[in-house]
């Protein structure tokens, strides 16, 4: 069984915040190296999660949904770190 197109589109939508990484790094508060490190790791985590969600869908739908939920929560966390 192949991964349906609608789940591919959903995975792409969930990875779109990766394009904001340069802005996130630029807006990172000065003197907070931990936040900067997390922001720099964020693209690798999101890309890996998206690939794993794509690969897991044909056999384990629930893993894909869990990965997408964690991707959404981590995106919210990164943006709240930068904007607070």
């Amino acid at each position: 069984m192949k991964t349906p197109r609608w789940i591919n589109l959903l995975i792409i939508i969930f990875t779109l915040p990766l394009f904001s990484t340069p802005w996130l790094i630029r807006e990172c508060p000065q003197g907070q190296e931990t936040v900067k490190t997390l922001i720099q790791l964020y693209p690798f985590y999101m890309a890996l999660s998206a690939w794993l969600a794509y690969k897991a869908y044909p056999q384990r739908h629930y893993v894909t949904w869990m990965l997408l939920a964690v991707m959404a929560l981590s995106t919210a966390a990164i943006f709240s770190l930068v904007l607070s």
Side-chain angles (χ1 to χ4, degrees), residues 8-66:
N8 290 341
L9 181 64
L10 193 62
I11 291 170
I12 290 169
I13 289 170
F14 272 76
T15 55
L16 284 178
L18 284 177
F19 292 110
S20 65
T21 302
W23 176 80
L24 289 170
I25 292 173
R26 187 174 59 245
E27 294 296 319
C28 180
Q30 296 295 326
Q32 294 188 0
E33 293 302 316
T34 306
V35 174
K36 189 172 183 178
T37 303
L38 289 173
I39 293 170
Q40 290 172 343
L41 292 174
Y42 173 70
F44 301 108
Y45 162 74
M46 289 293 283
L48 180 63
S49 292
W51 180 75
L52 289 172
Y54 171 77
K55 294 302 263 183
Y57 189 82
Q59 295 177 0
R60 295 179 182 91
H61 303 293
Y62 60 90
V63 172
T64 297
W65 291 113
M66 286 190 298

